[in-house]
Amino acid sequence: MRQRKYQICSNCIMDTSDPNITFDERGWCDYCRNFYKNIQPNWHPNEKGEEIIMPLIEKIKKEGKGRDHDCLIGISGGMDSSYVTYIAKEKFGLRPLLFHCDAGWNSQVGVNNIEKIIDGLNLDLVTEVINWLEMKDLQRAFFKSQVPFVDQPQDLALFSAIYNFAAKNKFKYVITGGNHSTECVRESIEWTYYSTDTRHVKDIHRRFGERPLKTFPMCDIFKYKLYSRFIKGVSVIKLLDSVSYIKKDAERELSERFGWQKYPQKHYESRFTRFFESYWTPKKHGYDKRRAYFSSEILTKQMTREESLKRIAKPELDEQTMAKEFEYVAKKLGFTISEFQEIFEGENKSFRDYKNNLALIMLGLKVMQMLGIEKRLFM
Ligand SMILES: [Zn+2]
């Protein structure tokens, strides 16, 4: 990786730990420029947004008549998916079927939160449990490969499971908790490579895996972007972008209505993700994903830059908790502490060191950006 002088954006807190970041003469980064130029003008988290989405909501209801459910929502127990479920049912009057994928790493708080939402809203839930031996094998392979995004297997499983379920059960509308409010800064692909590039996943598994993946759900990026969307007609709807979605208010609302319990950080409904984001990547790969989360909240005016700088200066978890989690993850994945430590200290690699479909994906994204379907910046 090329060496460059340290620089941090003067508007958000993204910095040169993102190797591809560039700054303009004001010291603003690409993410900020992209937000003001492409995202903000097209984003209406207010009454206008509700007005724009209403015809689609009516269409979903109409097409769902006579069915038990009119749409599908993937629920992880995290904040975004919990809140979108609540909004879909209570605000828009939809009749969602909830879908949860259990990849073996649910935190207790996450499980409790799912139950509270389901009971509180009286909804039906389908759970798919990923074969743990396959999950474990793929996760071990990713650790051994030394790429930064070791959370890719879990991400791929969650995404593929719901997508395949939708296609199989003829759900045309999948509502997700994806949103600009807390995710408008989509971190660099050097940090978080595309989960659904199955060519990449298969190459890493071929080299480091030890057992065949027979049932592991894999939905390739091209399959869902093209085949499912245009041939099967499955639409993915980011409902949270059409309503006011302020994290603090949403947390309070969920907790008052359902006894939902908040997390100290985004994605902490999975014990693995918590470990990966708060320990493995900052300590081993030198970047902190909170930088992208906080920057998103700065741009959407939910946190000040000063507040974020203060928070990012301290690790999210204390040393003792991190040591405990290191041991827990190692054991659960069948590594001895010293094996896991050896991987941790081993030479870092990039996704580019393994087969991937990046060139094709970039071409596809360019087309989508030209058509106005994708507004976030991918670097
Ligand atoms: Zn910036």
Side-chain angles (χ1 to χ4, degrees):
M1 210 173 281
R2 67 201 143 100
Q3 287 296 317
R4 60 189 292 196
K5 210 175 120 235
Y6 181 79
Q7 191 173 349
I8 181 166
C9 176
S10 56
N11 187 56
C12 71
I13 62 164
M14 291 303 281
D15 67 4
T16 37
S17 62
D18 176 344
N20 299 329
I21 202 166
T22 64
F23 302 93
D24 66 10
E25 60 290 346
R26 293 168 298 179
W28 287 25
C29 73
D30 317 74
Y31 299 105
C32 285
R33 295 200 301 273
N34 183 61
F35 176 77
Y36 295 115
K37 184 169 166 245
N38 296 319
I39 297 180
Q40 201 177 40
N42 299 300
W43 176 40
H44 310 288
N46 46 36
E47 273 137 42
K48 186 177 172 190
E50 284 172 34
E51 221 171 88
I52 295 172
I53 199 138
M54 268 336 267
L56 176 61
I57 300 289
E58 294 307 330
K59 189 169 174 240
I60 298 174
K61 287 183 183 169
K62 206 172 142 201
E63 288 180 17
K65 272 196 186 134
R67 290 183 58 131
D68 291 341
H69 309 93
D70 51 22
C71 59
L72 190 64
I73 302 182
I75 188 160
S76 64
M79 163 77 186
D80 299 335
S81 64
S82 300
Y83 197 69
V84 82
T85 302
Y86 165 58
I87 288 292
K89 164 104 199 285
E90 298 286 277
K91 191 176 182 81
F92 292 102
L94 292 168
R95 297 179 297 118
L97 172 63
L98 298 188
F99 181 89
H100 176 67
C101 174
D102 179 354
W105 293 96
N106 283 340
S107 68
Q108 197 49 51
V109 182
V111 174
N112 294 347
N113 279 340
I114 294 175
E115 275 175 16
K116 282 173 182 156
I117 293 286
I118 288 171
D119 292 345
L121 290 169
N122 197 18
L123 295 171
D124 299 326
L125 170 76
V126 171
T127 299
E128 180 168 334
V129 181
I130 305 294
N131 177 317
W132 171 247
L133 295 177
E134 293 187 12
M135 185 77 213
K136 177 175 157 186
D137 192 52
L138 192 56
Q139 285 189 307
R140 282 173 60 91
F142 266 75
F143 275 105
K144 288 184 202 161
S145 78
Q146 298 285 359
V147 294
F149 189 29
V150 286
D151 208 9
Q152 187 165 350
Q154 191 180 220
D155 231 34
L156 173 66
L158 303 186
F159 185 87
S160 304
I162 188 168
Y163 225 85
N164 292 342
F165 182 88
K168 200 171 146 202
N169 294 283
K170 300 197 166 55
F171 275 94
K172 285 204 159 183
Y173 303 99
V174 178
I175 294 177
T176 80
N179 68 88
H180 290 317
S181 177
T182 64
E183 307 175 325
C184 60
V185 174
R186 196 273 184 202
E187 67 265 24
S188 155
I189 55 169
E190 306 296 335
W191 294 9
T192 307
Y193 186 62
Y194 298 109
S195 331
T196 47
D197 181 347
T198 54
R199 183 172 185 232
H200 182 61
V201 173
K202 284 175 184 161
D203 189 44
I204 287 182
H205 185 256
R206 186 180 57 79
R207 297 194 203 197
F208 304 102
E210 286 158 28
R211 62 161 54 232
L213 301 179
K214 287 186 180 152
T215 58
F216 196 91
M218 286 211 196
C219 181
D220 187 71
I221 188 161
F222 294 106
K223 184 175 156 199
Y224 86 83
K225 291 265 184 200
L226 299 171
Y227 175 73
S228 305
R229 198 165 289 189
F230 296 110
I231 315 275
K232 288 271 191 182
V234 178
S235 322
V236 175
I237 301 157
K238 294 184 177 176
L239 202 53
L240 291 179
D241 283 342
S242 303
V243 296
S244 163
Y245 180 46
I246 304 295
K247 212 176 118 188
K248 284 197 186 93
D249 299 344
E251 275 169 356
R252 201 180 44 235
E253 213 173 334
L254 288 181
S255 121
E256 282 171 8
R257 288 217 40 175
F258 307 108
W260 189 92
Q261 207 181 324
K262 74 176 224 177
Y263 305 87
Q265 184 54 249
K266 192 171 168 67
H267 295 324
Y268 277 14
E269 63 275 13
S270 157
R271 197 164 173 184
F272 182 83
T273 305
R274 185 175 85 148
F275 167 75
F276 158 69
E277 294 193 353
S278 57
Y279 186 94
W280 194 262
T281 50
K283 298 251 180 200
K284 176 169 168 61
H285 293 276
Y287 66 82
D288 191 330
K289 284 170 72 98
R290 291 180 303 165
R291 228 172 245 296
Y293 304 153
F294 294 168
S295 292
S296 295
E297 290 192 41
I298 293 171
L299 290 175
T300 57
K301 298 202 166 67
Q302 302 184 64
M303 205 196 270
T304 65
R305 190 167 178 277
E306 289 63 42
E307 231 178 297
S308 328
L309 285 170
K310 222 185 265 167
R311 219 172 129 189
I312 200 125
K314 282 191 302 204
E316 200 70 35
L317 303 178
D318 61 74
E319 289 290 330
Q320 210 186 348
T321 311
M322 286 199 266
K324 208 179 92 203
E325 291 305 293
F326 188 90
E327 209 181 312
Y328 176 82
V329 173
K331 251 191 207 153
K332 182 153 172 153
L333 289 178
F335 290 118
T336 64
I337 302 291
S338 64
E339 279 169 345
F340 206 40
Q341 187 65 31
E342 204 175 299
I343 293 175
F344 182 72
E345 286 162 11
E347 192 193 337
N348 291 341
K349 295 255 171 78
S350 150
F351 72 88
R352 295 170 203 276
D353 293 317
Y354 301 97
K355 283 185 190 159
N356 62 72
N357 266 332
L358 181 64
L360 266 177
I361 294 171
M362 293 314 277
L363 181 72
L365 277 172
K366 258 199 194 117
V367 173
M368 285 174 63
Q369 272 162 350
M370 270 162 43
L371 296 173
I373 302 170
E374 182 55 73
K375 302 254 183 320
R376 287 174 307 170
L377 185 64
F378 290 86
M379 295 196 294

